[in-house]
PDB file of all heavy atoms in Angstrom:
ATOM      1  N   ASN A 230     -37.255 -20.566   5.288  1.00  0.00           N
ATOM      2  CA  ASN A 230     -37.822 -21.584   4.353  1.00  0.00           C
ATOM      3  C   ASN A 230     -39.194 -21.354   4.215  1.00  0.00           C
ATOM      4  O   ASN A 230     -40.026 -21.499   5.034  1.00  0.00           O
ATOM      5  CB  ASN A 230     -37.544 -23.028   5.109  1.00  0.00           C
ATOM      6  CG  ASN A 230     -37.816 -24.185   4.120  1.00  0.00           C
ATOM      7  OD1 ASN A 230     -38.712 -24.057   3.111  1.00  0.00           O
ATOM      8  ND2 ASN A 230     -37.130 -25.177   4.351  1.00  0.00           N
ATOM      9  N   ASN A 231     -39.563 -20.965   2.826  1.00  0.00           N
ATOM     10  CA  ASN A 231     -40.876 -20.716   2.362  1.00  0.00           C
ATOM     11  C   ASN A 231     -41.553 -19.627   3.339  1.00  0.00           C
ATOM     12  O   ASN A 231     -42.705 -19.785   3.653  1.00  0.00           O
ATOM     13  CB  ASN A 231     -41.735 -21.952   2.433  1.00  0.00           C
ATOM     14  CG  ASN A 231     -41.310 -23.092   1.430  1.00  0.00           C
ATOM     15  OD1 ASN A 231     -40.837 -22.635   0.314  1.00  0.00           O
ATOM     16  ND2 ASN A 231     -41.399 -24.309   1.865  1.00  0.00           N
ATOM     17  N   GLY A 232     -40.661 -18.701   3.631  1.00  0.00           N
ATOM     18  CA  GLY A 232     -41.254 -17.561   4.430  1.00  0.00           C
ATOM     19  C   GLY A 232     -41.251 -17.695   5.834  1.00  0.00           C
ATOM     20  O   GLY A 232     -41.485 -16.778   6.667  1.00  0.00           O
ATOM     21  N   THR A 233     -40.835 -18.819   6.422  1.00  0.00           N
ATOM     22  CA  THR A 233     -40.825 -19.152   7.757  1.00  0.00           C
ATOM     23  C   THR A 233     -39.275 -19.187   8.263  1.00  0.00           C
ATOM     24  O   THR A 233     -38.469 -19.737   7.638  1.00  0.00           O
ATOM     25  CB  THR A 233     -41.353 -20.563   8.191  1.00  0.00           C
ATOM     26  OG1 THR A 233     -42.754 -20.624   7.677  1.00  0.00           O
ATOM     27  CG2 THR A 233     -41.212 -20.816   9.664  1.00  0.00           C
ATOM     28  N   ILE A 234     -39.164 -18.399   9.329  1.00  0.00           N
ATOM     29  CA  ILE A 234     -37.712 -18.099   9.834  1.00  0.00           C
ATOM     30  C   ILE A 234     -37.185 -19.339  10.462  1.00  0.00           C
ATOM     31  O   ILE A 234     -38.054 -19.821  11.553  1.00  0.00           O
ATOM     32  CB  ILE A 234     -37.683 -16.862  10.761  1.00  0.00           C
ATOM     33  CG1 ILE A 234     -38.009 -15.549  10.008  1.00  0.00           C
ATOM     34  CG2 ILE A 234     -36.316 -16.857  11.426  1.00  0.00           C
ATOM     35  CD1 ILE A 234     -37.940 -14.382  10.793  1.00  0.00           C
ATOM     36  N   GLN A 235     -36.094 -19.937  10.149  1.00  0.00           N
ATOM     37  CA  GLN A 235     -35.503 -21.125  10.617  1.00  0.00           C
ATOM     38  C   GLN A 235     -34.570 -20.840  11.671  1.00  0.00           C
ATOM     39  O   GLN A 235     -34.541 -21.418  12.802  1.00  0.00           O
ATOM     40  CB  GLN A 235     -34.808 -21.869   9.528  1.00  0.00           C
ATOM     41  CG  GLN A 235     -35.757 -22.313   8.377  1.00  0.00           C
ATOM     42  CD  GLN A 235     -36.843 -23.298   8.953  1.00  0.00           C
ATOM     43  OE1 GLN A 235     -36.612 -24.317   9.544  1.00  0.00           O
ATOM     44  NE2 GLN A 235     -38.125 -23.002   8.410  1.00  0.00           N
ATOM     45  N   ARG A 236     -33.732 -19.857  11.406  1.00  0.00           N
ATOM     46  CA  ARG A 236     -32.748 -19.395  12.605  1.00  0.00           C
ATOM     47  C   ARG A 236     -32.154 -18.029  12.108  1.00  0.00           C
ATOM     48  O   ARG A 236     -32.277 -17.525  10.992  1.00  0.00           O
ATOM     49  CB  ARG A 236     -31.693 -20.428  12.615  1.00  0.00           C
ATOM     50  CG  ARG A 236     -30.711 -20.607  11.232  1.00  0.00           C
ATOM     51  CD  ARG A 236     -29.777 -21.725  11.370  1.00  0.00           C
ATOM     52  NE  ARG A 236     -29.002 -21.834  10.069  1.00  0.00           N
ATOM     53  CZ  ARG A 236     -29.432 -22.522   9.056  1.00  0.00           C
ATOM     54  NH1 ARG A 236     -30.548 -23.195   9.011  1.00  0.00           N
ATOM     55  NH2 ARG A 236     -28.632 -22.607   8.018  1.00  0.00           N
ATOM     56  N   GLU A 237     -31.361 -17.401  13.141  1.00  0.00           N
ATOM     57  CA  GLU A 237     -30.738 -16.176  12.795  1.00  0.00           C
ATOM     58  C   GLU A 237     -29.267 -16.372  13.255  1.00  0.00           C
ATOM     59  O   GLU A 237     -28.923 -17.109  14.264  1.00  0.00           O
ATOM     60  CB  GLU A 237     -31.367 -15.116  13.685  1.00  0.00           C
ATOM     61  CG  GLU A 237     -32.701 -14.713  13.298  1.00  0.00           C
ATOM     62  CD  GLU A 237     -33.241 -13.488  14.050  1.00  0.00           C
ATOM     63  OE1 GLU A 237     -32.444 -12.707  14.599  1.00  0.00           O
ATOM     64  OE2 GLU A 237     -34.549 -13.337  14.035  1.00  0.00           O
ATOM     65  N   GLU A 238     -28.292 -15.828  12.429  1.00  0.00           N
ATOM     66  CA  GLU A 238     -27.030 -15.940  12.604  1.00  0.00           C
ATOM     67  C   GLU A 238     -26.294 -14.570  12.672  1.00  0.00           C
ATOM     68  O   GLU A 238     -26.666 -13.672  11.927  1.00  0.00           O
ATOM     69  CB  GLU A 238     -26.289 -16.892  11.416  1.00  0.00           C
ATOM     70  CG  GLU A 238     -26.904 -18.183  11.425  1.00  0.00           C
ATOM     71  CD  GLU A 238     -26.601 -18.896  10.131  1.00  0.00           C
ATOM     72  OE1 GLU A 238     -26.029 -18.315   9.240  1.00  0.00           O
ATOM     73  OE2 GLU A 238     -26.601 -20.156  10.033  1.00  0.00           O
ATOM     74  N   THR A 239     -25.318 -14.533  13.496  1.00  0.00           N
ATOM     75  CA  THR A 239     -24.533 -13.178  13.534  1.00  0.00           C
ATOM     76  C   THR A 239     -22.988 -13.544  13.505  1.00  0.00           C
ATOM     77  O   THR A 239     -22.485 -14.513  14.154  1.00  0.00           O
ATOM     78  CB  THR A 239     -24.824 -12.545  14.894  1.00  0.00           C
ATOM     79  OG1 THR A 239     -26.093 -12.156  15.025  1.00  0.00           O
ATOM     80  CG2 THR A 239     -24.006 -11.177  15.042  1.00  0.00           C
ATOM     81  N   TYR A 240     -22.383 -12.805  12.671  1.00  0.00           N
ATOM     82  CA  TYR A 240     -20.948 -13.013  12.454  1.00  0.00           C
ATOM     83  C   TYR A 240     -20.140 -11.783  12.797  1.00  0.00           C
ATOM     84  O   TYR A 240     -20.494 -10.718  12.120  1.00  0.00           O
ATOM     85  CB  TYR A 240     -20.590 -13.503  11.042  1.00  0.00           C
ATOM     86  CG  TYR A 240     -21.394 -14.694  10.535  1.00  0.00           C
ATOM     87  CD1 TYR A 240     -22.560 -14.630   9.809  1.00  0.00           C
ATOM     88  CD2 TYR A 240     -20.965 -16.003  10.877  1.00  0.00           C
ATOM     89  CE1 TYR A 240     -23.224 -15.667   9.395  1.00  0.00           C
ATOM     90  CE2 TYR A 240     -21.717 -17.105  10.414  1.00  0.00           C
ATOM     91  CZ  TYR A 240     -22.820 -17.027   9.723  1.00  0.00           C
ATOM     92  OH  TYR A 240     -23.595 -18.099   9.383  1.00  0.00           O
ATOM     93  N   ASN A 241     -19.092 -11.937  13.620  1.00  0.00           N
ATOM     94  CA  ASN A 241     -18.259 -10.673  13.921  1.00  0.00           C
ATOM     95  C   ASN A 241     -17.097 -10.777  12.923  1.00  0.00           C
ATOM     96  O   ASN A 241     -16.347 -11.623  12.846  1.00  0.00           O
ATOM     97  CB  ASN A 241     -17.699 -10.893  15.295  1.00  0.00           C
ATOM     98  CG  ASN A 241     -18.813 -10.675  16.406  1.00  0.00           C
ATOM     99  OD1 ASN A 241     -19.681  -9.841  16.295  1.00  0.00           O
ATOM    100  ND2 ASN A 241     -18.840 -11.565  17.486  1.00  0.00           N
ATOM    101  N   LEU A 242     -17.127  -9.693  12.197  1.00  0.00           N
ATOM    102  CA  LEU A 242     -16.178  -9.485  11.086  1.00  0.00           C
ATOM    103  C   LEU A 242     -14.875  -8.784  11.609  1.00  0.00           C
ATOM    104  O   LEU A 242     -14.918  -8.166  12.648  1.00  0.00           O
ATOM    105  CB  LEU A 242     -16.656  -8.626   9.884  1.00  0.00           C
ATOM    106  CG  LEU A 242     -17.973  -9.223   9.366  1.00  0.00           C
ATOM    107  CD1 LEU A 242     -18.411  -8.330   8.299  1.00  0.00           C
ATOM    108  CD2 LEU A 242     -17.931 -10.592   8.899  1.00  0.00           C
TER     109      LEU A 242
END
Side-chain angles (χ1 to χ4, degrees):
N230 188 329
N231 295 324
T233 302
I234 296 178
Q235 302 295 314
R236 63 186 183 277
E237 296 186 18
E238 302 170 339
T239 300
Y240 305 98
N241 292 320
L242 307 178

